[in-house]
Each structure stands twice: as structure tokens, then as C-alpha cells.
Amino acid sequence: MAEAAMNVTKLEAKSHDKPDEVRSPAKTRVEVVRLPGYTLARMNMEPGWRWSECVKPVVKTDSCQVSHVGYVVSGTITIKMKDGTQKTFSEGMSYTIPPGHDAWVEGKAPFQCIEVLSAEQYAKPA
């Protein structure tokens, strides 16, 4: 698969500890950092978090309509697509998730990931 050329034009760094924007639906904290041409998010979901219970009321869609590309820093999450396909991601895994899914944190540990695709639109009010 051919990859599109991506160019970085400026040397810059920002900390997710001082994000440009924070979104906080129930049991969720999305820390957004904007760099020239790119937006990244550190996402934190508490135990008991489920997209359909915590984020759906904010975005007002039946399922998550955002595409995701990211890396799991800690914890475990399960994704269930509308067609019933289901996968679980855990610490150290990189992932892609197409639109049309629900998701939930597994177990008693928080889930944390870094997202490189969905950051600008995830958990924004409708």
C-alpha cells in the first residue's frame, strides 16, 4: 500500500499535561494538543466507561462515527462494530478502528491511549 507523503515543517513540542483543549464527558478525559498540521489526543477512560453511555449523549449518534488510529498506553478496551465484529486492545498495541462501533473499558484499570487521527473531532458536542 502506498503511503501519502507527509511533511513536517516546524520543530515543535507540547505537553499533554498542558493541553490546548480538554473534553470531559462522563468517565472520559480527552487532552488535545495541536502541532503544525497535526492534532493528537491523550485519551483517558475510567473503569466502567462505555462509549454508548458516556460519549453518545454528547455527540448524539447511534454509534461512534469517528475513525481512530492510535496506541494503547495502558489498560484494556473492547471495540464492537455494528456488524458484530469484536476485538480487544491492550497495552502496547497500535490500532485502527473504522466508524460504526461501540467500545468499553475492560476490568478495573483505567484505559489510556494516544490518538493520531480522531483527536480533532472525538467527543465534541453535536
Side-chain angles (χ1 to χ4, degrees), residues 6-12 36-38:
M6 298 172 71
N7 293 311
V8 173
T9 58
K10 184 177 180 184
L11 178 63
E12 187 168 342
Y38 299 89

Side-chain angles (χ1 to χ4, degrees), residues 18-72:
K18 294 181 181 178
D20 295 312
E21 180 181 355
V22 174
R23 299 181 203 128
S24 300
K27 299 181 182 178
T28 311
R29 181 174 169 87
V30 180
E31 300 156 345
V32 178
V33 168
R34 293 181 183 92
L35 298 168
Y38 299 89
T39 304
L40 291 90
R42 179 169 63 184
M43 297 184 181
N44 302 279
M45 287 79 158
E46 297 174 18
W49 177 92
R50 187 176 189 107
W51 183 91
S52 55
E53 297 169 4
C54 299
V55 180
K56 179 180 179 175
V58 174
V59 300
K60 301 182 182 354
T61 58
D62 288 336
S63 62
C64 182
Q65 295 301 304
V66 175
S67 294
H68 301 270
V69 175
Y71 172 78
V72 179

Side-chain angles (χ1 to χ4, degrees), residues 50 63 77-89 96-104 106:
R50 187 176 189 107
S63 62
I77 195 167
T78 297
I79 311 299
K80 184 172 185 178
M81 301 302 300
K82 287 186 93 170
D83 69 3
T85 304
Q86 186 170 303
K87 291 193 181 217
T88 299
F89 306 133
T96 59
I97 306 167
H101 59 273
D102 193 5
W104 56 90
E106 296 282 359

